[in-house]
Amino acid sequence: MTGARGFACGTSTYWQQRADVVVIGTGVAGLAAALAAHRAGLRVTVLSKVSETATFYAQGGIAVVLPTNDDSIDAHVADTLAAGGGLCDAEAVGSIVADGAKAISDLVAHGALFDESVPGQWALTREGGHTRRRIIHAGGDATGAEVQRTLDHAAAHLDVRHNHVALRILRDDTGVTGVLVHNDDGPGILHTPSVILATGGLGHLYSATTNPVGSTGDGIALALWAGVAVRDLEFVQFHPTMLFDAAAAGRRPLITEALRGEGAILVDAHGNSVTDGVHPMGDLAPRDVVAAAIDARLAATGDPCVYLDARGVADVANRFPTVTAACAAVGIDPARDPIPVVPGAHYSCGGVVTDVHGRTDLPGLFAAGEVARTGMHGANRLASNSLLEGLVVGGRAGRAAAAHAAQAGPVHAAAPQEIRRDVVDRAALQAAMSAHASVVRDATGLNRLAETLHFARAVAPRTRTGFEDAALTTAARAVIAAAAARTESRGCHHRGDFPDTDPTQEVSMTVRIHDGDVAVEIPTAVCS
């Protein structure tokens, strides 16, 4: 990346630099994209807001069809479509699943090490919604950490800029021209024709989440502010088993679904099964089913949590060292004690609308990973499909962004005018979202959320915290608008006032910002 002189705009002076491709985010999708763009011979700059990524905390593994396993692409696609509640794009699912083995091969070439059942053969486990054992894993339950380690090492030679916050996508009538960035030197402009959003999710819309601190809906807000559509945003997946601690908030440890795949069972405080009679797959039902079953049981009993009993899992401490360590930190031994768990905000199934190569409808803007909506997940993500999608679509987005940059050539972003964004107090927003847009929502609660957002104040974000608060407020508005428009229960969107699935609403809701207001584009099938 090359430097340039600063210039003044109003009372602000912006530093200026150039890159062919700018990647925002350093998780699996971001680094896969950056490496692919770099291999194409482009000047790539990677922006890192915080050191933690959601990839690092991913426990279960990567769902992939291996040629040596009793599995098939069609079976994996069928499981994904079944979990997605009718809203997956079947062609997108097939395309991404089919490239999974190649993406894993590339990761192994970078040095990734996966657990083996016997020398030369990867160990496979099963998770909720899967009809086959197809989940490869590393370090027992530390797959994400191994993926992150591998990609960090592979990307060590790239231009990775830490403590850089992307404040705005800059554009003109033809496409992307740059990114407005804040770092320790103040605000600046990266002039670039290609930007890849790989910012992760929006878990910190809620008081407790499995997501790291940086998951504040940044990419959703950046896309909406740039005039780009988001879709399926009402489908926020709550992982059924987040470690319960009544005194804790913020990021909470995940208790991996693979524990249930190895025989752990969900019970209430009286030892009764939580999922018995709820779904044919029982505790291995798709995540939305299990989370809703737990929520219903807690509502019925008034208990603060249910329990995951892993005492029957052989050698649990060695097979699941990450879970064991998290439990030990609060005085629990999974080999001896049932683990207290509750559903926790985990994964955004929707996001910025893209194709399977990460392209949005704004030339030069791409998105990959959790921030993107490729059609892979629909109304509910199948377990361990996220790292798969990040690897496959991240690599594709990097190649597509490089090709766009090569074709577009150098661009120059005009000095941006100051823009004020609505901001709601973060703690108040998180409390309101947790109360009214969690596992189960209804019109009364969503209206109360709208009232909370009514008290937003307009500010010009100049710090990371200020930007994040603005991003969370915008993301909350989009989630609430989509959740209010979908008057049915489907996937991980449960309406207490509309508990049934409505066949006429088997369509995706698109959200855009028009004249400063969030607007839902309701398909005609819903209106009929």
Side-chain angles (χ1 to χ4, degrees):
M1 184 172 69
T2 58
R5 62 179 177 82
F7 63 82
C9 175
T11 59
S12 298
T13 300
Y14 295 94
W15 51 261
Q16 295 185 77
Q17 294 177 330
R18 290 188 175 277
D20 296 320
V21 176
V22 172
V23 180
I24 307 174
T26 53
V28 58
L31 292 184
L35 288 165
H38 177 77
R39 285 193 293 269
L42 277 291
R43 297 174 301 167
V44 180
T45 296
V46 185
L47 306 184
S48 173
K49 184 179 72 169
V50 293
S51 58
E52 291 183 316
T53 69
T55 296
F56 177 83
Y57 288 107
Q59 292 181 3
I62 307 174
V64 61
V65 176
L66 301 175
T68 57
N69 189 31
D70 180 22
D71 198 0
S72 68
I73 298 296
D74 287 345
H76 190 173
V77 170
D79 289 348
T80 300
L81 297 180
L87 296 189
C88 295
D89 180 327
E91 290 188 6
V93 175
S95 171
I96 294 168
V97 167
D99 269 3
K102 173 63 166 58
I104 296 300
S105 177
D106 291 344
L107 192 65
V108 170
H110 285 307
L113 299 173
F114 293 101
D115 297 336
E116 297 181 334
S117 54
V118 296
Q121 182 174 319
W122 287 333
L124 299 174
T125 191
R126 181 183 166 206
E127 295 181 344
H130 290 273
T131 57
R132 306 281 198 284
R133 282 183 170 263
R134 64 167 66 98
I135 314 299
I136 62 173
H137 47 82
D141 56 359
T143 306
E146 175 63 9
V147 170
Q148 190 70 56
R149 180 200 67 79
T150 302
L151 291 174
D152 283 344
H153 178 75
H157 62 287
L158 298 185
D159 180 14
V160 179
R161 299 297 178 101
H162 298 282
N163 198 29
H164 279 54
V165 182
L167 302 176
R168 197 188 317 170
I169 304 300
L170 304 177
R171 59 167 296 178
D172 59 20
D173 291 339
T174 63
V176 168
T177 58
V179 186
L180 178 64
V181 181
H182 190 281
N183 64 12
D184 293 338
D185 295 325
I189 295 174
L190 283 171
H191 301 277
T192 180
S194 290
V195 173
I196 303 173
L197 299 173
T199 54
L202 41 70
H204 282 268
L205 278 177
Y206 298 87
S207 299
T209 175
T210 64
N211 292 184
V213 293
S215 298
T216 51
D218 300 6
I220 299 297
L222 289 169
L224 285 169
W225 294 337
V228 175
V230 299
R231 186 172 294 159
D232 291 337
L233 218 60
E234 65 271 36
F235 300 108
V236 179
Q237 185 182 80
F238 287 78
H239 196 286
T241 53
M242 179 179 71
L243 183 64
F244 172 72
D245 183 345
R251 196 195 78 80
R252 299 296 303 141
L254 173 72
I255 306 300
T256 176
E257 199 157 9
L259 262 171
R260 283 176 278 141
E262 297 299 328
I265 58 173
L266 278 168
V267 296
D268 62 20
H270 304 287
N272 299 315
S273 170
V274 173
T275 61
D276 187 30
V278 173
H279 191 279
M281 297 180 75
D283 289 349
L284 286 175
R287 288 176 172 175
D288 65 300
V289 175
V290 180
I294 294 173
D295 187 78
R297 183 63 57 89
L298 295 180
T301 64
D303 294 326
C305 65
V306 297
Y307 295 88
L308 185 64
D309 189 346
R311 291 175 292 182
V313 176
D315 200 19
V316 66
N318 288 325
R319 172 64 179 86
F320 298 99
T322 305
V323 167
T324 300
C327 289
V330 293
I332 297 166
D333 179 359
R336 299 176 180 271
D337 310 311
I339 306 168
V341 294
V342 291
H346 182 56
Y347 194 90
S348 176
C349 298
V352 182
V353 180
T354 74
D355 64 12
V356 293
H357 296 275
R359 302 184 188 94
T360 73
D361 57 10
L362 174 61
L365 183 64
F366 303 80
E370 186 175 356
V371 71
R373 188 274 184 191
T374 60
M376 176 75 172
H377 307 304
N380 186 38
R381 178 176 71 96
L382 183 65
S384 289
N385 269 353
S386 58
L387 292 177
L388 168 72
E389 184 188 38
L391 285 169
V392 172
V393 181
R396 291 175 176 180
R399 291 187 287 274
H404 176 83
Q407 182 180 32
V411 295
H412 184 80
Q417 299 298 311
E418 183 176 86
I419 295 179
R420 299 171 73 82
R421 310 288 189 194
D422 283 350
V423 170
V424 173
D425 175 77
R426 188 182 301 201
L429 178 62
Q430 290 172 332
M433 289 292 291
S434 298
H436 304 303
S438 187
V439 177
V440 179
R441 307 92 180 264
D442 60 31
T444 300
L446 293 171
N447 287 336
R448 288 178 181 171
L449 273 168
E451 292 172 5
T452 299
L453 290 167
H454 178 71
F455 293 99
R457 54 192 176 86
V459 300
R462 295 187 177 90
T463 65
R464 172 189 149 189
T465 299
F467 165 77
E468 288 181 340
D469 289 345
L472 284 167
T473 301
T474 295
R477 284 205 161 114
V479 171
I480 293 164
R486 186 171 293 281
T487 53
E488 63 158 355
S489 292
R490 181 184 298 274
C492 52
H493 169 73
H494 293 265
R495 286 285 297 258
D497 47 352
F498 294 97
D500 298 325
T501 299
D502 179 359
T504 69
Q505 297 191 45
E506 193 174 293
V507 287
S508 291
M509 305 281 187
T510 300
V511 178
R512 296 180 185 269
I513 289 181
H514 291 294
D515 298 325
D517 293 325
V518 169
V520 180
E521 298 174 2
I522 302 177
T524 55
V526 177
C527 300
S528 60

